[in-house]
Amino acid sequence: MNLYALLGICFIPSALFFALALILNKDLKIKYCLVACVLALITVLPTSMLQFYVLSLPIFTAYTFASLMITAILFNGLIEESMKMLFMCLIPQKNQVLGAFFCCVILYGLTVGGFESVIYIVKKFQEIQNQGGKEIVIHLLIDRIFSAQAIHVFAAGLSGLYIWNFRNQHKNPMPFIYAVLLHGIYNFFASFTSIYHWLAIVAILFAAVECRIFYVAAKSIPKQEQQ
């Protein structure tokens, strides 16, 4: 399997969701979905630059418990989710109902995860190019689709619900706080190779549950407050 095929697989979840969302949600507009995808690409560029420069600092390069925790919570959690939330603010909301806006947010999260996977796959592909073992890249890709891209989806969902609620005068910061903490916790435990690695899956599941809870709560807001 060549590199281009691998990169294409990164966006299969986004493409499938895009198609299904348009079929199942009649309120969803293609132009808003495309805006979400473009914003996802733009988000990855500054985030990758920050990752390159900030993570080269000594506090982030030392492989210690404190370093891993600071990196996970501060960078992967607070900085990354804050940047994602800022770009999600540009997704049109005024003329959308909650369900359509949430679909755009989920598509945004899937696409961010896809572009991030592209970066990791290209890097890994270059590392093993002269060593064989391309099955390692395929394994990494599949693992990221069901883990890293999943946490991006649910974290984006939580931040998106925070934006929706904030604009409708329900200024509860908990969805965004959960997005920051759960993304950080996921990255912290995902860095382990021991049994603790599986706790990253717990963070994904918890994020999914919280997404559902806050979505149902947002739906209960009177319609006149959502305009």
Side-chain angles (χ1 to χ4, degrees):
M1 184 176 293
N2 61 39
L3 177 60
Y4 296 107
L6 291 171
L7 299 184
I9 293 174
C10 294
F11 297 102
I12 288 179
S14 302
L16 288 175
F17 182 83
F18 196 147
L20 288 174
L22 288 172
I23 292 171
L24 299 176
N25 192 327
K26 302 304 180 183
D27 296 313
L28 187 61
K29 294 180 173 62
I30 294 179
K31 62 181 180 180
Y32 293 153
C33 292
L34 295 176
V35 168
C37 293
V38 172
L39 288 172
L41 171 60
I42 298 173
T43 304
V44 172
L45 298 177
T47 303
S48 299
M49 292 180 64
L50 272 175
Q51 188 174 26
F52 179 79
Y53 289 106
V54 176
L55 295 185
S56 63
L57 297 174
I59 183 62
F60 296 113
T61 56
Y63 196 80
T64 63
F65 181 88
S67 174
L68 289 174
M69 180 63 75
I70 293 173
T71 301
I73 299 299
L74 179 60
F75 181 81
N76 300 113
L78 182 59
I79 296 177
E80 194 170 328
E81 289 305 322
S82 294
M83 292 190 67
K84 284 165 59 181
M85 185 182 68
L86 289 174
F87 281 101
M88 276 191 287
C89 287
L90 300 177
I91 298 176
Q93 175 179 335
K94 184 177 180 180
N95 298 320
Q96 295 202 83
V97 297
L98 175 60
F101 177 76
F102 191 70
C103 282
C104 290
V105 165
I106 296 301
L107 180 60
Y108 170 90
L110 278 169
T111 310
V112 166
F115 281 120
E116 189 180 81
S117 291
V118 165
I119 296 173
Y120 279 89
I121 294 304
V122 170
K123 181 180 178 181
K124 179 61 69 174
F125 196 87
Q126 290 174 340
E127 289 176 355
I128 67 169
Q129 192 170 13
N130 299 320
Q131 304 173 12
K134 292 183 180 179
E135 65 278 358
I136 297 175
V137 178
I138 297 174
H139 181 271
L140 172 63
L141 176 56
I142 295 174
D143 180 64
R144 286 194 59 82
I145 287 175
F146 291 100
S147 58
Q149 287 188 231
I151 195 65
H152 274 295
V153 168
F154 297 123
L158 288 166
S159 293
L161 290 170
Y162 168 71
I163 294 170
W164 179 272
N165 290 338
F166 184 86
R167 288 175 173 171
N168 289 290
Q169 307 304 315
H170 288 257
K171 301 177 181 179
N172 178 9
M174 288 310 299
F176 177 67
I177 292 174
Y178 274 123
V180 170
L181 292 178
L182 291 172
H183 193 166
I185 291 171
Y186 163 81
N187 275 80
F188 176 73
F189 286 112
S191 64
F192 288 90
T193 55
S194 63
I195 192 173
Y196 295 108
H197 178 84
W198 292 100
L199 292 176
I201 305 301
V202 176
I204 296 173
L205 295 175
F206 192 83
V209 170
E210 291 302 321
C211 235
R212 172 64 179 170
I213 291 172
F214 284 111
Y215 179 82
V216 171
K219 286 183 66 175
S220 68
I221 299 174
K223 189 174 182 179
Q224 63 269 20
E225 295 187 34
Q226 296 182 0
Q227 302 300 320

